[in-house]
Amino acid sequence: MYYIKTKPVIIVDGTLYLYRSYFTFQYFKNDQENPYGAIYGILKTIKNILLKYYNSKKIIIIFDSSQKTFRNKIFTAYKSNRPKMPNELYIQIQPLFHILKEIGIKTLSIPGIEADDIIGSFAHKVEQSGEKVLIVSHDKDMIQLLTNNISILNTSNNEIITPITIQKKYGINPQEFIDLLALMGDKSDNIPGVPKIGIKTALCLLQKFSNIQNIYDNIEQIQFLSLRNAKNVSNQLKIHKDTAFLSYKLAKINLDIPIYINANDIILKTVCFQKLSNMIKTYNVHQKRNL
């Protein structure tokens, strides 16, 4: 378990935990055989964050909207590999929003804007106001948002991720993680990357040239690097230059989305935690009755 004394503004990747909760608690159904596992999982995650990790009073949950984003416009195959949302999950969304509102937990989604961009923009805004931020997610796209004031909590292993974590693990800074995804691609989001360039080659290039623009500015030097199949790597980069820069645009989180709320708008009321605990207890009792 990881504890921290500071009280950061907590931003939860709601879409990620919505799906995770749905698949973890698929068998949770009420007397009418309606599923509610996603609702239960989200509420339990929030309680664990507030109780076990941080005593923060500022928390917001960010969700995707159902509309396509600019990434779909510039690359129609973006996330096209993902299956349609299961109906058993879809029917839990509005009840979940209603419950969160009743409890007093703020949610935010913006039509046509991906949750990642909302998270990044809100985190950036909060940081500029002088507060620290904790992003709750295990999506690797979030790594690029890390700063001295923005950290990530991965609830899968209770790890707190900071810029130092990334530097030690990959030998690059968090902002260069965009370039890493642009070079090696990202199957989960269907970002193409440069064919035949994996993580080892991409990291070697970035540790040498820092970013994708510098790589192409020094493209003729790559064939002389002590890199396996250096000449082939150079040729691949030349052939797929447009795809590399397209992948960069797809991977980069937008920090300039207008967000019309601030950290003081998401302060929890005193009764919130008790309401949350009562709701989880109700669902848990109901679940046991149906097993």
Side-chain angles (χ1 to χ4, degrees), residues 63-82:
F63 292 94
D64 279 326
S65 74
S66 59
Q67 298 181 12
K68 293 186 180 298
T69 71
F70 81 93
R71 292 180 179 86
N72 301 106
K73 294 179 180 178
I74 65 174
F75 186 57
T76 55
Y78 179 70
K79 291 190 175 180
S80 62
N81 55 328
R82 296 190 179 186

Side-chain angles (χ1 to χ4, degrees), residues 10 14 35 83 85 109 123 146 156 167 193 227 241-242 258-259 275 278:
I10 299 174
M85 178 182 286
S109 63
L146 292 169
S156 294
Q167 184 64 45
L227 185 68
K241 180 178 180 179
D242 289 344
I259 306 292
K275 286 184 177 180
N278 290 342

Side-chain angles (χ1 to χ4, degrees), residues 21-22 24-31 33-41 44 88 92 280 283-288 290-291:
S21 298
Y22 168 72
T24 302
F25 303 106
Q26 284 189 73
Y27 55 86
F28 279 41
K29 294 185 179 181
N30 62 20
D31 293 333
E33 289 300 307
N34 293 321
Y36 65 86
I39 297 173
Y40 174 80
K44 190 174 180 180
E88 287 198 341
Q92 296 182 64
I280 292 172
Y283 274 122
N284 198 38
V285 169
H286 198 95
Q287 176 264 331
K288 289 177 180 177
N290 283 276
L291 285 181

Side-chain angles (χ1 to χ4, degrees), residues 19 30 33 46 48 56 84 89 99 131 151 161 175 183 218 223 229 252 263-264 273 278:
Y19 275 91
N30 62 20
E33 289 300 307
I46 295 168
N48 287 341
S56 180
K84 184 179 178 181
L89 173 56
I99 290 168
E131 297 199 64
S151 303
I161 303 170
Q175 288 69 43
L183 290 170
N218 297 277
Q223 61 182 314
N229 298 319
K252 182 176 173 57
N264 289 330
F273 191 80
N278 290 342

Side-chain angles (χ1 to χ4, degrees), residues 97-129:
F97 284 179
H98 176 74
I99 290 168
L100 292 173
K101 184 178 180 179
E102 287 294 311
I103 291 172
I105 295 175
K106 186 77 173 179
T107 63
L108 180 62
S109 63
I110 302 175
I113 306 296
E114 200 163 342
D116 289 6
D117 298 316
I118 305 173
I119 292 170
S121 296
F122 190 62
H124 184 62
K125 179 178 181 177
V126 171
E127 181 185 31
Q128 288 185 319
S129 73

